[in-house]
Amino acid sequence: MNDFDILTDSNLKNSFSVPSKVKELITVNKISCLTELYNSGEINKNTKIAGHGYNSIPKSEDESTFIKIAASDIEIVKSEGKYVCVKVGAGCGWDNFVKWSVENNYHGLENMSFIPGSVGAAPIHNIGAYGYEVSTFIVELSLFDLENGKFVTYKNIDCDFKYRTSIFKLAPNLLICDITFKIYKDSKYVLLAIEDKEISKYEETKELINLLLNSFTFNFSLKPLLKFKFDSVRDILKLSIIPTKLKRKLVKKIRTKVLPNPEVIGNSGCFFKCPILTNEQFINFKSLYPQVEYFESEEGYKISACWLIRGAGWAGRTKNGVHIDANKPVLLLNYDSATSENVLLVSNEIIENVMDKFKIKLETEAVFY
Ligand SMILES: Cc1cc2nc3c(=O)[nH]c(=O)nc-3n(C[C@H](O)[C@H](O)[C@H](O)COP(=O)(O)OP(=O)(O)OC[C@H]3O[C@@H](n4cnc5c(N)ncnc54)[C@H](O)[C@@H]3O)c2cc1C
């Protein structure tokens, strides 16, 4: 295998299935060759970074050079009493790493099973699912700075992780080469890591626990489970008494039911973030819209992006080949050969309409190159 490969006039694979051609795509198999690539002028501060394309919409034609890390080794670098530290190459598929950790009886990542994409992209918007965020498990990252050609290490605290964001959103020059994660030898330590919270705040929770415990063979129908509030499902998936391997299976079933498969229809998962309001903003907003759908988080009140988009009249509409899902309007789907320019247009129109109607700024989770 070459240390790196260069393709010219290459397609940039993306899960929204928009057509795209970029001037040059450099795939890096060996991290040490980055210095050589920088010194020879092949890469510089204008080079754009590509991952596996599940959260990014490339232009139809882009005259830029793109770089993509393919190195994907998984290596245990430290083993202490309660945990192991594992260094993973940025090119590793995120779910390949989660699968590896579950199969090797490590705990912590299982709720984030089946999130598509690369390990290297995971910290960018601090991926998360069912109450867990990747930032909880990150120790440090090795980065290559495309601005000065130097390697640098960032500790977790340097990354300014928040809900679906991090310092990397503002630093497109930082190429993530590998990440060291801390994962646990027993699931009970995971809860300690994410702060044990009161879990039975919802009436349904106990009922759901019974349902799960009685169904350990996993032959039950998921219909009753899906009737429960999302928050309850999230709380259940935090319970350490539920075996990690079972959680992974549960997550697979739930995700298959609620998320469209990009292999079947182009999409980028949830296209918009849920806007967060402060306590004061929320009180005002709720007095205007008592029926608002929201949930509380450590960072404030998260207003349902689905609720806002539906309220702005977009649920179920199709424009310029982009369809807005009727049930979960935070999902944008490539119905009819949409281009990235179409997606940008529709996305901007939704943001504008939500602003006009609710005076709230919706932001995209997906990245436009
Ligand atoms: C069906 C579906 C379901 C999804 N479900 C979830 C979910 O449950 N939770 C969730 O959080 N997200 C979810 N997503 C979004 C997506 O899976 C994540 O954002 C994932 O991290 C994208 O990885 P990627 O490699 O495809 O990134 P890309 O789309 O290739 O890139 C995304 C961004 O990361 C940057 N980037 C990529 N690699 C690197 C690197 N090595 N160094 C520096 N920057 C880099 C790119 O420049 C770009 O800005 C979903 C997407 C889909 C399509």
Side-chain angles (χ1 to χ4, degrees):
M1 192 192 292
N2 298 330
D3 288 357
F4 61 88
D5 295 302
I6 302 185
L7 280 176
T8 44
D9 288 333
S10 173
N11 290 325
L12 202 58
K13 199 176 155 239
N14 64 91
S15 64
F16 213 97
S17 297
V18 294
S20 106
K21 193 175 270 179
V22 303
K23 191 180 127 214
E24 208 169 53
L25 174 63
I26 305 177
T27 304
V28 173
N29 301 311
K30 202 166 170 202
I31 298 300
S32 56
C33 75
L34 286 169
T35 308
E36 179 193 335
L37 283 167
Y38 184 84
N39 289 340
S40 66
E42 275 294 345
I43 55 173
N44 57 43
K45 63 179 166 74
N46 299 320
T47 305
K48 294 181 180 172
I49 304 172
H52 292 183
Y54 286 94
N55 200 39
S56 46
I57 318 282
K59 292 191 184 95
S60 300
E61 301 257 346
D62 195 327
E63 277 303 301
S64 315
T65 293
F66 279 71
I67 189 162
K68 177 178 174 168
I69 302 286
S72 61
D73 289 351
I74 301 178
E75 183 195 354
I76 296 178
V77 289
K78 184 175 176 185
S79 178
E80 289 280 324
K82 292 178 182 170
Y83 63 85
V84 286
C85 289
V86 188
K87 189 166 150 180
V88 189
C92 182
W94 168 255
D95 193 58
N96 290 347
F97 173 45
V98 178
K99 183 167 180 266
W100 174 93
S101 79
V102 172
E103 282 176 356
N104 286 281
N105 294 317
Y106 297 120
H107 310 267
L109 307 177
E110 53 281 358
N111 285 16
M112 293 179 280
S113 290
F114 304 103
I115 297 181
S118 59
V119 162
I124 307 296
H125 86 195
N126 187 16
I127 60 166
Y130 305 111
Y132 285 28
E133 286 183 341
V134 70
S135 53
T136 307
F137 303 96
I138 290 179
V139 178
E140 62 181 31
L141 309 92
S142 306
L143 309 156
F144 183 80
D145 191 338
L146 290 161
E147 221 157 73
N148 59 21
K150 298 226 159 47
F151 284 97
V152 59
T153 300
Y154 273 27
K155 299 280 180 203
N156 183 304
I157 197 164
D158 303 320
C159 302
D160 199 16
F161 286 121
K162 294 201 185 87
Y163 163 67
R164 295 297 178 271
T165 192
S166 70
I167 200 163
F168 304 111
K169 284 262 182 188
L170 301 172
N173 53 309
L174 293 176
L175 173 65
I176 297 171
C177 301
D178 59 59
I179 304 177
T180 302
F181 297 89
K182 184 176 181 177
I183 48 178
Y184 295 86
K185 293 179 183 173
D186 190 310
S187 56
K188 66 175 185 261
Y189 301 133
V190 177
L191 269 186
L192 296 177
I194 60 169
E195 288 177 3
D196 202 350
K197 291 197 181 121
E198 229 236 287
I199 46 149
S200 48
K201 56 187 166 187
Y202 300 98
E203 271 305 301
E204 307 98 313
T205 308
K206 281 188 203 128
E207 212 182 312
L208 188 47
I209 293 171
N210 284 334
L211 177 76
L212 276 169
L213 294 180
N214 291 333
S215 315
F216 255 36
T217 53
F218 210 72
N219 288 327
F220 68 98
S221 155
L222 261 188
K223 277 199 184 121
L225 177 63
L226 293 171
K227 274 198 313 202
F228 290 95
K229 280 187 197 149
F230 171 77
D231 280 351
S232 306
V233 175
R234 196 177 49 178
D235 286 343
I236 290 301
L237 286 169
K238 276 190 188 171
L239 288 172
S240 58
I241 50 163
I242 299 176
T244 295
K245 286 182 178 139
L246 176 60
K247 282 188 193 173
R248 182 166 160 83
K249 284 184 180 173
L250 256 175
V251 169
K252 182 174 188 182
K253 287 249 177 187
I254 296 170
R255 291 184 69 95
T256 313
K257 288 263 177 195
V258 300
L259 287 167
N261 179 354
E263 305 299 327
V264 179
I265 183 149
N267 76 89
S268 302
C270 295
F271 204 89
F272 297 98
K273 298 199 262 188
C274 292
I276 300 182
L277 299 187
T278 61
N279 198 16
E280 200 185 329
Q281 289 169 327
F282 178 72
I283 291 169
N284 288 337
F285 193 76
K286 194 153 179 2
S287 68
L288 291 172
Y289 302 101
Q291 71 286 30
V292 56
E293 288 170 18
Y294 66 95
F295 56 100
E296 288 179 56
S297 74
E298 276 157 28
E299 292 168 60
Y301 290 86
K302 281 188 192 163
I303 308 299
S304 157
C306 283
W307 184 83
L308 292 167
I309 298 166
R310 183 172 288 113
W314 278 93
R317 279 181 63 186
T318 305
K319 186 163 184 183
N320 298 347
V322 180
H323 181 73
I324 294 84
D325 192 75
N327 296 322
K328 203 168 165 15
V330 75
L331 294 170
L332 267 51
L333 307 169
N334 190 345
Y335 248 35
D336 188 15
S337 315
T339 62
S340 70
E341 291 72 21
N342 295 148
V343 186
L344 183 61
L345 217 84
V346 172
S347 156
N348 283 344
E349 222 177 300
I350 293 174
I351 292 171
E352 211 177 295
N353 290 174
V354 166
M355 177 53 92
D356 287 347
K357 169 126 197 191
F358 298 109
K359 305 286 172 272
I360 283 190
K361 174 123 175 66
L362 207 54
E363 283 177 26
T364 60
E365 211 173 280
V367 178
F368 288 93
Y369 279 119

